[in-house]
PDB file of all heavy atoms in Angstrom:
ATOM      1  N   PHE A  81      -1.064  -2.184   7.912  1.00  0.00           N
ATOM      2  CA  PHE A  81      -0.034  -1.201   7.510  1.00  0.00           C
ATOM      3  C   PHE A  81       1.182  -1.911   7.114  1.00  0.00           C
ATOM      4  O   PHE A  81       1.695  -2.783   7.932  1.00  0.00           O
ATOM      5  CB  PHE A  81       0.230  -0.409   8.846  1.00  0.00           C
ATOM      6  CG  PHE A  81       0.684   1.082   8.483  1.00  0.00           C
ATOM      7  CD1 PHE A  81       0.081   2.179   9.004  1.00  0.00           C
ATOM      8  CD2 PHE A  81       1.781   1.264   7.579  1.00  0.00           C
ATOM      9  CE1 PHE A  81       0.489   3.492   8.684  1.00  0.00           C
ATOM     10  CE2 PHE A  81       2.247   2.529   7.359  1.00  0.00           C
ATOM     11  CZ  PHE A  81       1.637   3.661   7.900  1.00  0.00           C
ATOM     12  N   MET A  82       1.693  -1.599   5.934  1.00  0.00           N
ATOM     13  CA  MET A  82       2.946  -2.195   5.519  1.00  0.00           C
ATOM     14  C   MET A  82       4.034  -1.129   5.265  1.00  0.00           C
ATOM     15  O   MET A  82       3.742  -0.141   4.570  1.00  0.00           O
ATOM     16  CB  MET A  82       2.813  -3.050   4.194  1.00  0.00           C
ATOM     17  CG  MET A  82       3.980  -3.820   3.739  1.00  0.00           C
ATOM     18  SD  MET A  82       3.563  -4.912   2.370  1.00  0.00           S
ATOM     19  CE  MET A  82       5.191  -5.590   1.993  1.00  0.00           C
ATOM     20  N   PHE A  83       5.175  -1.240   5.918  1.00  0.00           N
ATOM     21  CA  PHE A  83       6.170  -0.197   5.987  1.00  0.00           C
ATOM     22  C   PHE A  83       7.231  -0.508   4.925  1.00  0.00           C
ATOM     23  O   PHE A  83       7.260  -1.487   4.215  1.00  0.00           O
ATOM     24  CB  PHE A  83       6.812  -0.081   7.338  1.00  0.00           C
ATOM     25  CG  PHE A  83       5.915   0.280   8.395  1.00  0.00           C
ATOM     26  CD1 PHE A  83       5.257  -0.793   9.108  1.00  0.00           C
ATOM     27  CD2 PHE A  83       5.647   1.625   8.737  1.00  0.00           C
ATOM     28  CE1 PHE A  83       4.367  -0.469  10.196  1.00  0.00           C
ATOM     29  CE2 PHE A  83       4.717   1.916   9.821  1.00  0.00           C
ATOM     30  CZ  PHE A  83       4.093   0.882  10.511  1.00  0.00           C
ATOM     31  N   GLN A  84       8.100   0.602   4.786  1.00  0.00           N
ATOM     32  CA  GLN A  84       9.186   0.448   3.751  1.00  0.00           C
ATOM     33  C   GLN A  84      10.071  -0.738   4.072  1.00  0.00           C
ATOM     34  O   GLN A  84      10.581  -1.438   3.105  1.00  0.00           O
ATOM     35  CB  GLN A  84       9.980   1.787   3.624  1.00  0.00           C
ATOM     36  CG  GLN A  84      11.120   1.753   2.565  1.00  0.00           C
ATOM     37  CD  GLN A  84      11.831   3.019   2.463  1.00  0.00           C
ATOM     38  OE1 GLN A  84      11.306   4.087   3.035  1.00  0.00           O
ATOM     39  NE2 GLN A  84      12.810   3.163   1.681  1.00  0.00           N
ATOM     40  N   ARG A  85      10.473  -0.696   5.388  1.00  0.00           N
ATOM     41  CA  ARG A  85      11.382  -1.835   5.742  1.00  0.00           C
ATOM     42  C   ARG A  85      10.480  -2.861   6.544  1.00  0.00           C
ATOM     43  O   ARG A  85       9.634  -2.426   7.265  1.00  0.00           O
ATOM     44  CB  ARG A  85      12.443  -1.333   6.632  1.00  0.00           C
ATOM     45  CG  ARG A  85      13.423  -0.466   5.839  1.00  0.00           C
ATOM     46  CD  ARG A  85      14.716  -0.148   6.597  1.00  0.00           C
ATOM     47  NE  ARG A  85      15.640   0.712   5.786  1.00  0.00           N
ATOM     48  CZ  ARG A  85      16.466   0.141   4.886  1.00  0.00           C
ATOM     49  NH1 ARG A  85      16.490  -1.158   4.629  1.00  0.00           N
ATOM     50  NH2 ARG A  85      17.297   0.988   4.256  1.00  0.00           N
ATOM     51  N   ASP A  86      10.787  -4.150   6.292  1.00  0.00           N
ATOM     52  CA  ASP A  86       9.891  -5.134   6.915  1.00  0.00           C
ATOM     53  C   ASP A  86       9.980  -5.044   8.509  1.00  0.00           C
ATOM     54  O   ASP A  86      11.083  -4.501   9.003  1.00  0.00           O
ATOM     55  CB  ASP A  86      10.333  -6.518   6.535  1.00  0.00           C
ATOM     56  CG  ASP A  86      11.648  -6.997   7.032  1.00  0.00           C
ATOM     57  OD1 ASP A  86      11.699  -7.366   8.058  1.00  0.00           O
ATOM     58  OD2 ASP A  86      12.596  -6.846   6.220  1.00  0.00           O
ATOM     59  N   THR A  87       8.973  -5.461   9.188  1.00  0.00           N
ATOM     60  CA  THR A  87       9.034  -5.427  10.609  1.00  0.00           C
ATOM     61  C   THR A  87       8.867  -6.916  11.169  1.00  0.00           C
ATOM     62  O   THR A  87       8.161  -7.177  12.127  1.00  0.00           O
ATOM     63  CB  THR A  87       7.886  -4.597  11.161  1.00  0.00           C
ATOM     64  OG1 THR A  87       6.665  -5.056  10.602  1.00  0.00           O
ATOM     65  CG2 THR A  87       8.125  -3.092  10.968  1.00  0.00           C
ATOM     66  N   LEU A  88       9.522  -7.846  10.402  1.00  0.00           N
ATOM     67  CA  LEU A  88       9.477  -9.178  10.785  1.00  0.00           C
ATOM     68  C   LEU A  88      10.171  -9.515  12.149  1.00  0.00           C
ATOM     69  O   LEU A  88      11.161  -8.795  12.507  1.00  0.00           O
ATOM     70  CB  LEU A  88      10.200 -10.041   9.710  1.00  0.00           C
ATOM     71  CG  LEU A  88       9.517  -9.924   8.337  1.00  0.00           C
ATOM     72  CD1 LEU A  88      10.395 -10.898   7.319  1.00  0.00           C
ATOM     73  CD2 LEU A  88       8.096 -10.373   8.348  1.00  0.00           C
ATOM     74  N   LEU A  89       9.737 -10.506  12.849  1.00  0.00           N
ATOM     75  CA  LEU A  89      10.333 -10.840  14.086  1.00  0.00           C
ATOM     76  C   LEU A  89      11.592 -11.630  13.741  1.00  0.00           C
ATOM     77  O   LEU A  89      11.490 -12.663  13.071  1.00  0.00           O
ATOM     78  CB  LEU A  89       9.360 -11.712  14.934  1.00  0.00           C
ATOM     79  CG  LEU A  89       8.016 -11.096  15.249  1.00  0.00           C
ATOM     80  CD1 LEU A  89       7.149 -12.082  15.932  1.00  0.00           C
ATOM     81  CD2 LEU A  89       8.173  -9.890  16.084  1.00  0.00           C
ATOM     82  N   PRO A  90      12.832 -11.132  14.077  1.00  0.00           N
ATOM     83  CA  PRO A  90      13.975 -11.835  13.719  1.00  0.00           C
ATOM     84  C   PRO A  90      14.262 -13.220  14.249  1.00  0.00           C
ATOM     85  O   PRO A  90      14.975 -14.145  13.640  1.00  0.00           O
ATOM     86  CB  PRO A  90      15.061 -10.863  14.112  1.00  0.00           C
ATOM     87  CG  PRO A  90      14.509 -10.018  15.284  1.00  0.00           C
ATOM     88  CD  PRO A  90      13.099  -9.969  14.868  1.00  0.00           C
TER      89      PRO A  90
END
Side-chain angles (χ1 to χ4, degrees):
F81 208 128
M82 188 170 173
F83 298 90
Q84 179 175 354
R85 294 192 179 276
D86 69 82
T87 55
L88 300 179
L89 303 175

